[in-house]
Amino acid sequence: MPKYVYDFHEGNKDLKDLLGGKGANLAEMTNLGLPVPPGFVITTEACNVYLESGSEPKELEQEVGEHLAALEKTMGKRLGQADDPLLVSVRSGAKFSMPGMMDTVLNIGLNDESVEGLAKQAGSPRFAWDSYRRLIQMFGKTVLGVDGEHFEHVFDAAKEAKGTKNDLDLDDGDLRGIVEQYKEIVAKYAGRPFPTDPREQLDLAVRAVFDSWNGDRAKLYRRQERIPADLGTAVNVVAMVFGNIGMDSGTGVAFTRDPGSGDQGVYGDYLQNAQGEDVVAGIRNTVSLADLEDIDKPAYDELMAIMAKLENHYKDLCDIEFTVERNKLWMLQTRVGKRTAAAAFKIAVQLVDEGLIDMDEALQRVNGAQLAQLMFPRFDDAADKKQIAKGVNASPGAAVGKVVFDSATAGEWAARGEDVILVRRETNPDDLPGMIAAQGILTSRGGKTSHAAVVARGMGKTCVSGADDLEINVSAKTVVTKDGTKIGEGDVLSIDGTSGTVYLGEVPVVPSPVVEYFEGNLAVDADPLVAAVDRIINYADGKRRLGVRTNADTDEDAARARRFGGEGIGLCRTEHMFLGERRAFVERLILAEGEEEQKAALDALLPLQREDFVGILAAMDGLPVTVRLIDPPLHEFLPDLTELSVKIAVAQAKGETVSDQDRTLLEAVRRLHEQNPMLGLRGVRLGLVIPGLFALQVRAIAEAAAQLKKDGKDPRPEIMVPLVGAVQELEIVREEAERILAEVAAETGVTVGTLIGTMIEVPRAAMTAGQIAEAADFFSFGTNDLTQMGWGFSRDDVEGAFFSRYIEVGVFGVSPFETLDAEGIGRLVKIAVEEGRATRPTLKVGVCGEHGGDPESVHFFHHAGLDYVSCSPFRVPVARLEAGRASLDAAGSDSR
Amino acid sequence: MPKYVYDFHEGNKDLKDLLGGKGANLAEMTNLGLPVPPGFVITTEACNVYLESGSEPKELEQEVGEHLAALEKTMGKRLGQADDPLLVSVRSGAKFSMPGMMDTVLNIGLNDESVEGLAKQAGSPRFAWDSYRRLIQMFGKTVLGVDGEHFEHVFDAAKEAKGTKNDLDLDDGDLRGIVEQYKEIVAKYAGRPFPTDPREQLDLAVRAVFDSWNGDRAKLYRRQERIPADLGTAVNVVAMVFGNIGMDSGTGVAFTRDPGSGDQGVYGDYLQNAQGEDVVAGIRNTVSLADLEDIDKPAYDELMAIMAKLENHYKDLCDIEFTVERNKLWMLQTRVGKRTAAAAFKIAVQLVDEGLIDMDEALQRVNGAQLAQLMFPRFDDAADKKQIAKGVNASPGAAVGKVVFDSATAGEWAARGEDVILVRRETNPDDLPGMIAAQGILTSRGGKTSHAAVVARGMGKTCVSGADDLEINVSAKTVVTKDGTKIGEGDVLSIDGTSGTVYLGEVPVVPSPVVEYFEGNLAVDADPLVAAVDRIINYADGKRRLGVRTNADTDEDAARARRFGGEGIGLCRTEHMFLGERRAFVERLILAEGEEEQKAALDALLPLQREDFVGILAAMDGLPVTVRLIDPPLHEFLPDLTELSVKIAVAQAKGETVSDQDRTLLEAVRRLHEQNPMLGLRGVRLGLVIPGLFALQVRAIAEAAAQLKKDGKDPRPEIMVPLVGAVQELEIVREEAERILAEVAAETGVTVGTLIGTMIEVPRAAMTAGQIAEAADFFSFGTNDLTQMGWGFSRDDVEGAFFSRYIEVGVFGVSPFETLDAEGIGRLVKIAVEEGRATRPTLKVGVCGEHGGDPESVHFFHHAGLDYVSCSPFRVPVARLEAGRASLDAAGSDSR
């Protein structure tokens, strides 16, 4: 038979699934002998029974009764006992902390009788009636669903009547009156009287916690964060201790190290004669934790000892909530504390040096998102800065520019070379051109999943959203700060997307020391952060199974990626080799009449492309370079249909002569125009339809490699065919490529081992990977296209049009272009890896979509059995780190 | 140990895998006691050993020797024996008949010595030397790979020197000279002398047959027809009999019934003093088989008896090749004969009535492609027709129109209401607009897989391709027929895509009697074909498990589909409900500022759409009607971007004022413009992004159904959500729809049971079907979009651009939009069916892509376990028939 209630003595920190995070840590502290108020936890299993069946498990009432009795015995008083009441708090506590869940009801056990007992025991009728007032207010709001405003109106009216703004000026008489009015509010709006039976209070509060698991906000949050809906929440029932019972009492929070820098020391805040909610309300100012030493040395010393013990025990930075009740210290909560990216790296190596953890553990304490943050340029710490607002850190980076309020102006100013910051209350799809033109985006509304945030992250553009201290008036073109400063179009702002801070004027930007180090411009011991990053990433390199390559199209990018640790090129696009002045050749190719002319156009490109490949292969000498044959439809190299049509129509309307060339061109553009070019004549289809096109590229690669090899180099080209959906396509291209490789080998007398493989980026390719592997030396997943085609949406068209809405309603937690959608697209990847390898056990498998540099996706690729990931040069260190971390994931884990 | 050689006595007709079709049937006839020349078969297994290892299995030489010895014993003479040689033919014979395979070498066993023996035995030196001449020519060409033209030049020169055009005028002296020259040609071009050893001749010919399995044309044909590459071919070695040994000899072909009409009787042709190849060459005219009775009554009577026996034995129409050698009848081949569509139906029921087969067998003897042919209108048989050419029956139907030679003229003439036939030597993507405008397409080049054929079939447009009797000159705008008739632009042609015939002038078109019958305009007994179709299709209805619904958007279509046997609507598109005069509302919706205006635009549409649904639901009263919520992107309801841009720019250039409305409209068109609308804001995405849009449609459906139910009808609406990729999307729409259904039920007091389900048309939906089924009462596969997204191509953009090329090089055998690609897209379907049903065993599963009416695809859907297929009204009978046939497929079969 399941056990639905655990005393704190019966639990430990590893029982988070059953007891929730808060309960498990309270149990852990209890068993460490720390001063935790006694209490018990109702399990997530009880919650799940309730949610499935609609009623609590029948054993629950009795189990709660038994544990309550034990608690009463420990405390020497009964719940709600008239002359000396035991009071308890009821708090939710799920495995993952979750906004939207019912938070807390304090002071359960008070009613018209026991409030008098409490008054006597505490020696303070005001305290007792204030506690009662708080109970009815919290209970009414969170358990009985009464709109909180009703209570606030009464409370504010009472203060106004008294001519004060300070709660403490209300005396017990005032509070008695408020309690009466509160009870009336409950009766009126909840349709039932406030329950006076303490056990009924407790049971209703527990049920309210259960119910809150399925509240709209909680459900939405779970959908967004992909937290399973069947975890359920635990409920913590804890004996009340009071920080608001006098000046010898108080409440505080503490960190065992500086969560900002990682430095060791004492960090925290303390507020005398207060409860936790008062700290949040921010009515009075807290003091530094160090001041507690003066206020109450014994409590301070005990806290210091406990913090040392906790850090030693959790082997990590802990954050702590505590209360002092009449000079007696009580621990209300602890957990492993949040920290900044820099602190995470520094703390991890500190803990290794202190012998608390080993390097495996240190590697797991940091992550790629943190490393990515550290690689953005940032504002100079030392510079004078005028902070004017703090919003949501929606998309990292540091951006400086002139304020503009609309897309058109953004585009115009950017076109003439100005840096601009697009400022809007919130953005919508109409703002896309402006967002593209701007250095950064600033909004006063919306959080991390707002349109602005989602789109900016998708573009890799700095964004601060929800800076609600700013009053933005787009039609008046003004921003007004909290202190009344008025900012107009053209004024300069600096926004920090990593912290969410907004500064007035231009703040100097300094490069990331981590990047400076990778680039070889900074010594490893010049900065403790750099030293920590270096130590951990090198350790990750030793651990990882996944190779890390880069996506680079030029020798400059290739060389940089190599400095960043890239082990070859996983994707060298060749589109740019047809652009610029070479467009003319493509036009000739397209307009050619007959194969002779086509061939001439292609022949003219050969020496140019050969030189391109010489550069790239030389930069990656000794490492593999995967060259993707040309992918985009040829009309991308021609003028836009609408623009050209308008140009010619206008010329005609004005009676000007239209040249034959323009007419021919328009005809070609019309002929090649596609309704859906992404699903058109591109990739391998071009190779099969346009004679000589792929042959040109293969020959250029082969000749470049032969030339380098003659010069004593070690070129390692790999030829990759895009958009293959059927093995027959690949067979035909492969046959031709092998013929050309053999020809060049014969002509030059040099043989270069060249693999021939394919992208897997069309769903059908994944479905028939077992066949395709017959003709492929390697697979490289094009997860961008695979996502586009698997979901049936084009990133350009839809990301700005509805992704924020989709995230808002919980279809995605994150854009599937940012993090691989493991369930849908990932399943295609897994099937293709398995079936491809079943056909050809030596098949090399990598990924060259942008997901190759996304932390969570890297774990997926590790577990899917890929050989390497390939990502943009700047993401290479992130991928190295996460690939190392992935090798430490528990078997079968999915990186959560 | 495998046995590689079978005497005809050792085989039978069921051993086609091992002995090939020809060998198995020769064995069958031998065992029936029919006069088959003795011989043996080398198995496909021997071929496969040779192809894999590069040399014949070592046992083969001895086995062939043994069987040859037995053959020699039977015939009383040895292969190539000098004074009385045994001669043999060597023919390939695979399981499926396959162009590109080596066909035949006759007269093996002749050399300089045995030719004299043959001359003596036959009493005709001319016959012997002509046989020797034929051997060297065939052997040189097909076994030794010498270009056939070399031989023909010599032969033609000899005739010219003799001043004749008739082979028979060459005497034995001439033929001796030709033989000498042939031997020189072989020595020169094959690099080896013609082999004089008869056994060497035999062995080389066998090997040549093996090699021809991997000839380019054979490989291509296999790829196109999806015949497995590892079947291999058998080789038939048969004692020669001669139809060309005198006027008491001859050769012929026969059918046991009329393959054109199915009528019983004697059908065939006979040619005296000839070999099979002479019939093909067509130098002399054949006589009707009936004339054989006068020429050689005993042989004729024996043949009639054999034909009766064969039909009785094969229980089907047989076609036969035979030879008479000096009044002795020999059977050279038989097989189940090809027939026209009408004959197939009539023969099937005749055979049932004759007690030869049962109705299950009859159902398997016909197919949906034949039924579809019978449903096209056709040219009036009774009308005077002037046939001017016969081409390939590339896409069925009967089309009449004025000849045009280019796309532009086709478009212009069609726009002014003329019917046109586009005539080209061959078509390419530039001709697409003309093909769309024309009634039919006629080309002089290319077969069933040419661009014209593939595209026309995709459009369902009549096409005759490869009519090479016509000389088409596009620049001169003339067609010249074989007899010199000249046809110019504007002249009328009639083309029959079902038979490939081209007629001059207008041939009257009559409706299909089968359609007339379904429509209720023709009694079942008015036409024996109709009676046969009726009988078989009703039998199929009794057999089939699959339901057959129709895709219909209007009440007219719904009513017609019902007459054709449709059991409900599987896809009712709702796009048209926003078109026509209602575009104005869509424009208002799109240009609306604020939700009020949006709502007003939608509210105005409600009564109109309700009436639409009343009509459709009434037409399908008592049957399910699956309504798909609106799918296309909203910009499809606005003007085209390029056209509008040109219009406004031209107006501006001319100094005209551009209205504010036009400006606003252009802005909206620009804003909504998508690079890839197929992958854009459409389907369920519209429902989640535009408040009230789906709600309008659901309310219109619910109110229409309630109104009908109040009137005593039985409406059965099903609501289908398009383009779902994730269960969350469906959950949100479902929640709203259920709320509206409940509201309408409350308002009207009428509850209509309404299923809510989803299309499965995005690959990710198939991959996560197990989840999606949690929120779906039914799945309907949108195999058009699933094919587009699974392959990553848009039908509109690519079908004309490269499908013919893809079919030509063998990537497809047929367009995947015509027949479901079972391996790739079909796998997605299977996964979704299995996993959807695992979640929800009661899940209804159907298909509403165009594949629902394709014969081969219907079998796939049957075996994949679908509940129904849905197709256009005209395809409903085809689907009924094929669904019945599918239920008779062998377990695990794939309908081949």
Side-chain angles (χ1 to χ4, degrees), chain A residues 87-89 105-110 130-132 134-135 138 201 240 242 275:
Chain A
L87 304 184
V88 296
S89 65
V105 181
L106 300 178
N107 304 335
I108 279 181
L110 283 178
D130 189 46
S131 298
Y132 194 20
R134 288 175 193 242
L135 168 63
M138 279 194 252
Q201 292 172 359
M240 286 294 303
F242 297 97
Q275 268 188 322

Side-chain angles (χ1 to χ4, degrees), chain A residues 458-662:
Chain A
M459 296 175 181
K461 193 143 285 188
T462 301
C463 175
V464 172
S465 65
D468 50 15
D469 286 350
L470 301 178
E471 214 171 89
I472 295 174
N473 188 330
V474 168
S475 39
K477 300 199 172 185
T478 56
V479 182
V480 180
T481 69
K482 225 177 171 183
D483 68 1
T485 311
K486 207 164 168 182
I487 300 159
E489 191 174 71
D491 290 344
V492 173
L493 287 184
S494 300
I495 65 174
D496 183 341
T498 312
S499 66
T501 321
V502 183
Y503 304 103
L504 189 62
E506 180 177 344
V507 178
V509 172
V510 294
S512 147
V514 174
V515 170
E516 287 295 285
Y517 156 66
F518 284 132
E519 287 284 14
N521 300 333
L522 193 68
V524 65
D525 53 4
D527 181 323
L529 171 60
V530 164
V533 167
D534 171 71
R535 193 162 151 194
I536 292 178
I537 204 166
N538 283 328
Y539 187 77
D541 281 342
K543 280 281 169 183
R544 68 186 157 90
R545 184 185 58 68
L546 277 176
V548 177
R549 298 196 194 173
T550 191
N551 300 349
D553 309 341
T554 61
D555 39 3
E556 294 83 10
D557 273 359
R560 156 171 288 162
R562 216 171 169 159
R563 293 194 295 273
F564 282 27
E567 300 158 323
I569 293 182
L571 173 63
C572 172
R573 295 178 197 83
T574 54
E575 287 79 281
H576 69 285
M577 300 183 182
F578 293 86
L579 288 173
E581 58 191 12
R582 301 182 193 173
R583 272 178 194 271
F585 297 109
V586 181
E587 245 175 60
R588 259 175 71 189
L589 175 67
I590 293 171
L591 302 179
E593 302 201 348
E595 293 197 7
E596 283 294 302
E597 282 187 32
Q598 283 192 333
K599 194 169 175 312
L602 289 169
D603 284 350
L605 278 167
L606 180 63
L608 303 171
Q609 298 219 348
R610 185 172 53 225
E611 278 321 294
D612 295 335
F613 288 121
V614 166
I616 293 164
L617 288 168
M620 274 291 170
D621 193 48
L623 293 174
V625 173
T626 308
V627 179
R628 182 178 72 182
L629 301 182
I630 187 167
D631 182 53
L634 291 190
H635 53 76
E636 286 199 7
F637 301 94
L638 297 182
D640 174 75
L641 172 63
T642 300
E643 282 171 23
L644 190 62
S645 301
V646 167
K647 179 184 149 191
I648 292 181
V650 166
Q652 283 172 327
K654 289 184 177 165
E656 295 164 7
T657 7
V658 176
S659 69
D660 275 357
Q661 203 193 338
D662 271 356

Side-chain angles (χ1 to χ4, degrees), chain A residues 430 642 671 675-676 678-679 685 688 729 762 764 767 790-792 794 797 805-806 821 827 835, chain B residues 430 642 671 675-676 678-679 685 688 729 762 764 767 790-792 794 797 805-806 821 827 835:
Chain A
D430 297 345
T642 300
R671 191 178 68 228
Q675 292 302 316
N676 294 281
M678 185 173 298
L679 305 177
R685 300 159 194 172
L688 296 190
E729 296 171 310
V762 164
R764 190 185 190 274
M767 285 286 106
W791 278 92
S794 134
D797 290 319
R805 173 89 183 131
Y806 262 42
D821 154 36
R827 188 172 173 197
E835 301 183 4
Chain B
D430 297 346
T642 299
R671 190 179 69 229
Q675 292 302 315
N676 294 280
M678 185 174 298
L679 304 178
R685 301 160 193 171
L688 296 189
E729 296 170 311
V762 163
R764 189 185 190 274
M767 286 285 106
W791 278 92
S794 133
D797 290 320
R805 172 91 182 130
Y806 262 41
D821 154 37
R827 188 172 175 198
E835 301 184 4

Side-chain angles (χ1 to χ4, degrees), chain B residues 251-306:
Chain B
T251 191
V253 295
F255 297 90
T256 58
R257 298 181 190 233
D258 184 346
S261 67
D263 297 342
Q264 282 160 296
V266 178
Y267 298 88
D269 301 295
Y270 183 71
L271 187 58
Q272 274 179 290
N273 194 15
Q275 266 188 326
E277 52 176 344
D278 301 323
V279 180
V280 176
I283 296 163
R284 284 176 291 154
N285 283 337
T286 57
V287 297
S288 157
L289 184 57
D291 296 334
L292 180 58
E293 191 169 8
D294 301 329
I295 297 168
D296 187 342
K297 179 125 188 15
Y300 177 78
D301 290 342
E302 187 182 0
L303 180 62
M304 289 304 111
I306 287 172

